[in-house]
Amino acid sequence: FHPAAGPSEPKMAGADGDDSLYPIAVLIDELRNEDVQLRLNSIKKLSTIALALGVERTRTELLPFLTDTIYDEDEVLLALAEQLGNFTMLVGGPEYVHCLLPPLESLATVEETVVRDKAVESLRKISQEHSPVDLEVHFEPLVKRLASGDWFTSRTSACGLFSVCYPRVSSTVKAEIRQHFRTLCSDDTPMVRRAAASKLGEFAKVLELDYVKSDIIPLFTALASDEQDSVRLLAVEACVSIATLLPQEDLETLVMPTLRQAAEDKSWRVRYMVADKFSELQKAVGPEITKNDLVPAFQNLLKDCEAEVRAAAANKVKEFCENLPEDGRETIIMTHILPCVKELVSDTNQHVKSALASVIMGLSTILGKDNTIEHLLPLFLAQLKDECPEVRLNIISNLDCVNEVIGIRQLSQSLLPAIVELAEDAKWRVRLAIIEYMPLLAGQLGVEFFDEKLNSLCMAWLVDHVYAIREAATCNLMKLVEKFGAEWAQNTIVPKVLGMANDPNYLHRMTTLFCINALSEACGQEITTKHMLPVVLKMSNDQVANVRFNVAKCLQKIGPVLDNNALQTEVKPVLEKLAADQDMDVKYFAQEAISVLALA
């Protein structure tokens, strides 16, 4: 619906032929065009229109026009709500900023949430530019109108505006604002109560301490026992802000009963929220309450019947333990937390196991060497053998912090056999998974350790009977060379790879070529020309056609690494010989290599 040109429409260039306003006339026309895209473009150029009109006409003509025409597609309204937030200077600066309130007020009541949220965001932004007097005269009445609107949409929008105007108004107006907020916290519509609950913590932060106790705490208690779990879980979020505002001695009576109740709520969503915010709650309530209340609550969350809650709690294990008061920390972890953690290692849900695996290694730094060796290593071993790849990856990718605590020797005695066992597993997918972690492991354990313990594994994979493993092993070598450098490659890898060129099994001979393809760039020109190229050229006489055409493909791949002299004198004759091979495929790939390398 596009209203006909009404009295509030900006008057454009008329008989006096003022051409400077012509583009504006076009933009204004576009604002009323049938095509959504044109209207959207016009809204996005709104600041241009306002600049051309000047501050006075923007205030007297453009803004009323916009306020009257708010019947549009959501995306146009969204763009408008965003633009108006940056309009202060275009209406003449802070003293006129209140002119922006009418269109934003209308936008804050529309049905589409995204538009309302953007309008509230813009209102919050321009509230900072109101003088205290303007806040009371213009802004606060708008908040009141929204808060007592007939539609829930306007009441939800009001919830986001209380905290921005509260600090800068007189005490009588403050009392009114608190009253409105109280009313909305007990609104009949769950959406409004939800909006109020989500802003409870933010509002509490701007209130005077006495009012936090007299007003906010009763509201918090009521919202935390709301019939809708979506409201209760937002009260948990507010709990963090409220607890940080109150003195320690009031927490026990004012906050803890509600928090205890939330941790045992019948809805898993609320318990999930408690688990998700656990570290923040722990910091907010301090060490004493943590010891007496949060430790048992955390144990229960780790044993929760819902996997989502267990996973959220498992994610917090390391942080929770780190933030425990140092004097009794080890005892609390060993007697209360570790038994729960042990059960989670064999949880039925893989998300829970994976969440735990991503943080459990961090406990080693807190518990120290002896406890790690005795209690944590058996858990790491169990997780390394877990059937879920994410669990294994999370353990392997966090090995470095255990390494720091117990040292590489101890680590290799305990965890390495497990890694080797997986590397030689009968299921090729398990072998494949371990290969993919190899570069990561190598980086964590360092080059000497790698050469001593893991190098032979990496070589063994190159002759695996499954092609996917051989291919992954080749790629793994390339990543290792990128990590450890060309010199290391020349001493440890290249001789072994080139040795396979004489293997009686043609598949292994082909693996040599695949490795050279992968390694030539990482090893650089000198090693490729001196050591690898002669082997490739020699293999052009292989009995097996598959090997010969792979020689052609290999020469094409390493060609760019070689210098021109080697290409002309060594590569070109061999490719010409292969191009005359009796095998069709060998011919084809040799000719392709000649044309790609421009040797014709």
Side-chain angles (χ1 to χ4, degrees):
F1 163 60
H2 302 289
S8 62
E9 186 166 328
K11 317 280 183 295
M12 285 304 146
D16 54 1
D18 178 355
D19 282 343
S20 69
L21 284 178
Y22 172 69
I24 304 304
V26 174
L27 283 173
I28 289 283
D29 273 345
E30 282 183 2
L31 274 176
R32 301 192 357 264
N33 195 294
E34 288 298 302
D35 179 2
V36 177
Q37 199 49 50
L38 280 175
R39 297 203 301 279
L40 193 56
N41 291 344
S42 191
I43 290 283
K44 287 185 174 161
K45 294 181 199 145
L46 209 50
S47 51
T48 318
I49 303 181
L51 271 173
L53 285 172
V55 293
E56 192 152 326
R57 295 189 64 190
T58 297
R59 292 199 299 270
T60 54
E61 298 173 22
L62 182 62
L63 288 175
F65 168 68
L66 290 171
T67 312
D68 290 353
T69 52
I70 298 186
Y71 314 99
D72 207 332
E73 304 286 332
D74 294 332
E75 54 189 314
V76 179
L77 297 181
L78 179 64
L80 178 58
E82 187 168 6
Q83 289 284 324
L84 290 174
N86 307 318
F87 244 58
T88 308
M89 296 326 287
L90 298 169
V91 293
E95 60 189 292
Y96 293 106
V97 71
H98 59 83
C99 303
L100 295 170
L101 298 178
L104 283 170
E105 181 174 353
S106 309
L107 288 165
T109 61
V110 299
E111 205 170 314
E112 173 53 51
T113 318
V114 187
V115 177
R116 287 202 310 272
D117 290 348
K118 186 57 79 180
V120 169
E121 191 184 312
S122 290
L123 281 166
R124 287 168 70 106
K125 197 169 173 183
I126 65 171
S127 72
Q128 305 307 322
E129 287 156 345
H130 282 63
S131 64
V133 178
D134 281 347
L135 260 186
E136 286 200 16
V137 177
H138 299 287
F139 198 89
E140 207 270 333
L142 168 144
V143 178
K144 275 194 218 163
R145 285 194 299 278
L146 288 173
S148 44
D150 293 337
W151 292 96
F152 82 88
T153 50
S154 76
R155 302 199 299 279
T156 53
S157 291
C159 295
L161 298 172
F162 293 118
S163 62
V164 289
C165 56
Y166 188 86
R168 295 167 57 215
V169 291
S170 64
S171 51
T172 28
V173 179
K174 281 184 174 178
E176 288 173 20
I177 293 178
R178 291 196 304 275
Q179 181 51 50
H180 278 295
F181 192 79
R182 276 201 296 275
T183 313
L184 292 181
C185 283
S186 53
D187 197 279
D188 291 342
T189 315
M191 272 81 92
V192 177
R193 297 200 302 278
R194 208 160 41 221
S198 72
K199 294 289 182 266
L200 185 64
E202 178 189 287
F203 189 48
K205 283 181 183 159
V206 298
L207 256 62
E208 300 78 0
L209 183 59
D210 289 346
Y211 293 122
V212 172
K213 292 183 192 176
S214 64
D215 287 34
I216 296 287
I217 294 294
L219 297 175
F220 164 62
T221 314
L223 290 166
S225 13
D226 195 276
E227 56 179 4
Q228 298 275 338
D229 63 357
S230 58
V231 176
R232 297 200 300 276
L233 67 88
L234 289 165
V236 172
E237 238 176 302
C239 184
V240 178
S241 307
I242 295 169
T244 42
L245 298 170
L246 292 171
Q248 193 65 37
E249 62 272 15
D250 292 332
L251 286 175
E252 186 52 60
T253 48
L254 301 179
V255 174
M256 287 318 293
T258 310
L259 184 56
R260 286 188 199 106
Q261 170 194 323
E264 295 171 359
D265 197 281
K266 60 179 187 293
S267 160
W268 70 268
R269 286 187 182 82
V270 179
R271 301 195 304 274
Y272 171 86
M273 199 54 146
V274 175
D276 192 48
K277 298 276 169 224
F278 216 83
S279 307
E280 294 156 62
L281 288 166
Q282 180 188 7
K283 284 182 187 141
V285 300
E288 272 313 301
I289 294 181
T290 295
K291 264 195 279 195
N292 304 334
D293 271 287
L294 293 194
V295 172
F298 193 55
Q299 284 175 290
N300 290 336
L301 292 168
L302 288 170
K303 297 176 186 165
D304 199 276
C305 57
E306 285 292 336
E308 277 88 349
V309 179
R310 294 198 302 276
N315 251 321
K316 300 282 177 232
V317 164
K318 175 181 165 233
E319 259 183 278
F320 180 71
C321 294
E322 269 175 348
N323 296 329
L324 286 168
E326 280 195 25
D327 52 354
R329 176 159 68 183
E330 195 176 311
T331 322
I332 294 176
I333 298 174
M334 298 306 291
T335 48
H336 299 295
I337 308 296
L338 204 62
C340 302
V341 168
K342 282 181 178 164
E343 284 172 36
L344 291 181
V345 169
S346 50
D347 197 276
T348 48
N349 182 292
Q350 65 176 43
H351 298 295
V352 176
K353 289 188 294 192
S354 169
L356 181 66
S358 65
V359 297
I360 190 172
M361 310 298 260
L363 290 180
S364 52
T365 38
I366 304 169
L367 288 176
K369 186 168 180 175
D370 298 343
N371 282 330
T372 299
I373 294 172
E374 189 180 340
H375 297 284
L376 294 178
L377 275 181
L379 302 181
F380 302 157
L381 283 172
Q383 288 169 306
L384 255 186
K385 294 179 181 171
D386 197 279
E387 77 278 5
C388 166
E390 251 182 46
V391 175
R392 299 197 299 265
L393 175 62
N394 282 342
I395 290 294
I396 287 181
S397 44
N398 290 299
L399 275 179
D400 50 351
C401 57
V402 182
N403 186 6
E404 281 166 29
V405 178
I406 65 172
I408 197 85
R409 287 284 151 239
Q410 181 67 45
L411 190 65
S412 62
Q413 283 164 20
S414 50
L415 294 185
L416 214 73
I419 291 172
V420 173
E421 198 179 311
L422 289 169
E424 294 165 350
D425 195 278
K427 297 191 197 68
W428 68 270
R429 287 182 203 281
V430 177
R431 299 200 297 278
L432 188 63
I434 279 290
I435 298 181
E436 284 164 1
Y437 306 142
M438 230 1 120
L440 184 70
L441 257 174
Q444 300 210 341
L445 302 175
V447 66
E448 292 97 23
F449 184 81
F450 180 83
D451 282 347
E452 183 188 332
K453 305 282 186 190
L454 300 174
N455 198 340
S456 52
L457 275 182
C458 292
M459 288 300 155
W461 283 322
L462 289 171
V463 295
D464 196 280
H465 60 277
V466 176
Y467 174 71
I469 300 286
R470 298 199 297 274
E471 185 184 33
T474 308
C475 179
N476 169 45
L477 283 188
M478 180 176 75
K479 289 182 184 156
L480 290 172
V481 173
E482 283 165 5
K483 247 193 184 67
F484 293 151
E487 194 181 326
W488 173 80
Q490 189 179 347
N491 297 331
T492 52
I493 297 282
V494 175
K496 293 180 181 172
V497 167
L498 299 181
M500 288 164 58
N502 304 319
D503 195 294
N505 183 335
Y506 84 95
L507 293 172
H508 298 173
R509 299 202 294 278
M510 268 164 47
T511 303
T512 296
L513 294 170
F514 298 148
C515 287
I516 291 174
N517 288 345
L519 296 176
S520 59
E521 205 172 315
C523 288
Q525 190 174 28
E526 192 188 342
I527 297 178
T528 305
T529 313
K530 265 197 193 156
H531 300 283
M532 298 184 184
L533 183 61
V535 175
V536 181
L537 298 173
K538 187 178 153 214
M539 290 172 81
S540 67
N541 300 319
D542 201 284
Q543 251 91 61
V544 179
N546 275 20
V547 177
R548 294 200 301 280
F549 82 63
N550 272 299
V551 166
K553 283 166 84 169
C554 182
L555 289 171
Q556 179 182 327
K557 175 86 172 76
I558 68 171
V561 183
L562 304 169
D563 64 9
N564 202 36
N565 177 30
L567 279 174
Q568 293 297 338
T569 59
E570 303 184 57
V571 175
K572 189 176 176 181
V574 168
L575 283 174
E576 283 169 346
K577 181 186 75 182
L578 291 172
D581 198 279
Q582 70 268 33
D583 186 278
M584 294 280 294
D585 294 323
V586 179
K587 258 188 198 164
Y588 169 78
F589 286 111
Q591 281 159 353
E592 190 183 345
I594 290 171
S595 72
V596 169
L597 297 172
L599 295 174

